[in-house]
């Protein structure tokens, strides 16, 4: 009954390759996010999608392209991988408005550890 | 811009209380959160507090918010070895859906 799931859990690849990370949530939320956690454990938002539309794009290189086929899925495709892309990538989801109450509580997936060699 | 800061390390003896502190700069913060990250794991939401509240208690966890000083704390009563983890403070506002995270506090509990 995983609420937010990501695949794969680990991804090791060579510089220059293109890779994708998938995220799915079964919470019925309308907003999904990608965060990057660097080696110092610092977390920073990359993107958010609301009902399949891009809402936040935090000055991420255009080698990173999120895709939301439906509101339960938000995938992250990365082209021409670089050493500095090595990090843990977390997907999250939230329901921005519920019965008129704004909560924005975000629930996180288990993370995908990307290592670029 | 928005900034959230935490001390990096905290070490406590098992059974004692732990207090993890967080300061933030965004005066329009609406919700403030505490997340826990165990080694090799994802982020687990522990609790959150709305900005018009001063305190929230949930079993062993007590959150205190001083909105005037923009200071948030998480108190864990009767700290156990299983509480050893990194604790992240985060804030959000009506203006944006994004969470701004603190640097994380690594809590180590020793017997």
């Amino acid at each position: 009954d995983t609420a937010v799931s990501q695949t794969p859990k680990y991804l090791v690849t060579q510089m220059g390759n293109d890779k994708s990370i998938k995220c799915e949530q079964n919470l019925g939320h309308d907003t999904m996010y990608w965060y990057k956690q660097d080696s110092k454990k610092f977390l920073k938002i990359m993107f958010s999608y609301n009902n399949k539309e891009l809402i936040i794009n935090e000055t991420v290189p255009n080698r990173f392209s999120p895709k939301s086929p439906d509101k339960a899925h938000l995938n992250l495709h990365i082209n021409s991988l670089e050493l500095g892309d090595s990090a843990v990538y977390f997907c999250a989801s939230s329901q921005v408005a519920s019965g008129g109450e704004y909560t924005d509580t975000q629930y996180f997936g288990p993370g995908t550890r990307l290592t670029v060699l | 811009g928005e900034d959230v800061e935490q001390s990096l390390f905290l070490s406590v003896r098992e059974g004692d209380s732990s207090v993890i502190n967080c300061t933030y700069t965004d005066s329009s913060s609406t919700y403030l959160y505490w997340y826990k990250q165990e080694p090799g794991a994802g982020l687990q939401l522990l609790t959150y507090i709305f900005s018009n509240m001063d305190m929230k208690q949930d079993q062993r966890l007590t959150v205190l918010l001083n909105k005037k000083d923009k200071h948030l704390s998480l108190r864990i009563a009767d700290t156990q070895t299983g509480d050893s983890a990194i604790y992240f403070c985060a804030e959000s506002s009506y203006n944006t859906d994004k969470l701004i995270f603190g640097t994380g506090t690594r809590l180590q509990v020793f017997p």
Side-chain angles (χ1 to χ4, degrees):
Chain A
D1 286 6
T2 306
V4 183
S5 59
Q6 296 178 227
T7 53
K9 189 170 181 181
Y10 299 97
L11 183 54
V12 181
T13 189
Q14 302 274 357
M15 273 176 57
N17 284 349
D18 304 337
K19 289 293 177 187
S20 292
I21 307 172
K22 295 185 177 182
C23 178
E24 178 181 2
Q25 54 95 3
N26 62 7
L27 296 165
H29 288 167
D30 59 8
T31 306
M32 296 183 72
Y33 311 78
W34 278 108
Y35 288 84
K36 180 180 180 181
Q37 186 179 40
D38 63 22
S39 57
K40 294 180 181 173
K41 301 293 187 184
F42 187 67
L43 274 155
K44 193 169 181 185
I45 191 165
M46 299 173 69
F47 301 101
S48 81
Y49 268 72
N50 178 268
N51 282 319
K52 305 193 294 174
E53 288 190 27
L54 181 66
I55 303 298
I56 294 172
N57 181 340
E58 288 287 308
T59 60
V60 176
N62 58 15
R63 297 183 295 105
F64 290 78
S65 52
K67 285 187 172 51
S68 182
D70 56 61
K71 72 175 194 177
H73 295 83
L74 181 62
N75 303 323
L76 183 64
H77 188 76
I78 315 169
N79 289 327
S80 302
L81 278 155
E82 300 177 357
L83 293 177
D85 298 333
S86 295
V88 180
Y89 292 84
F90 286 100
C91 176
S93 74
S94 71
Q95 185 67 27
V96 173
S98 174
E101 180 185 340
Y102 178 89
T103 62
D104 196 34
T105 302
Q106 294 183 23
Y107 295 86
F108 283 77
T112 296
R113 182 176 293 277
L114 171 65
T115 303
V116 182
L117 304 174
Chain B
E2 311 101 337
D3 195 19
V4 181
E5 295 200 356
Q6 302 175 236
S7 52
L8 291 179
F9 298 102
L10 177 64
S11 185
V12 300
R13 189 181 300 275
E14 190 174 15
D16 288 350
S17 292
S18 309
V19 179
I20 302 171
N21 294 303
C22 171
T23 57
Y24 59 98
T25 58
D26 186 2
S27 56
S28 65
S29 291
T30 309
Y31 281 91
L32 295 123
Y33 306 81
W34 284 104
Y35 284 86
K36 177 183 180 183
Q37 185 179 28
E38 295 184 55
L43 288 156
Q44 174 195 355
L45 176 67
L46 287 178
T47 187
Y48 66 91
I49 188 168
F50 189 45
S51 59
N52 68 355
M53 297 168 64
D54 298 323
M55 186 182 91
K56 182 176 180 181
Q57 186 148 6
D58 184 1
Q59 299 181 336
R60 291 191 299 123
L61 304 179
T62 303
V63 179
L64 294 177
L65 175 60
N66 182 330
K67 195 173 179 182
K68 175 175 167 289
D69 294 340
K70 299 191 183 68
H71 182 265
L72 182 74
S73 68
L74 174 69
R75 179 176 179 270
I76 306 173
D78 187 24
T79 314
Q80 303 296 308
T81 53
D83 295 324
S84 295
I86 301 176
Y87 290 80
F88 290 93
C89 158
E91 61 95 7
S92 67
S93 68
Y94 279 121
N95 300 330
T96 175
D97 294 336
K98 65 184 180 183
L99 282 176
I100 307 297
F101 284 89
T103 48
T105 299
R106 186 179 294 275
L107 173 65
Q108 184 172 9
V109 183
F110 57 94

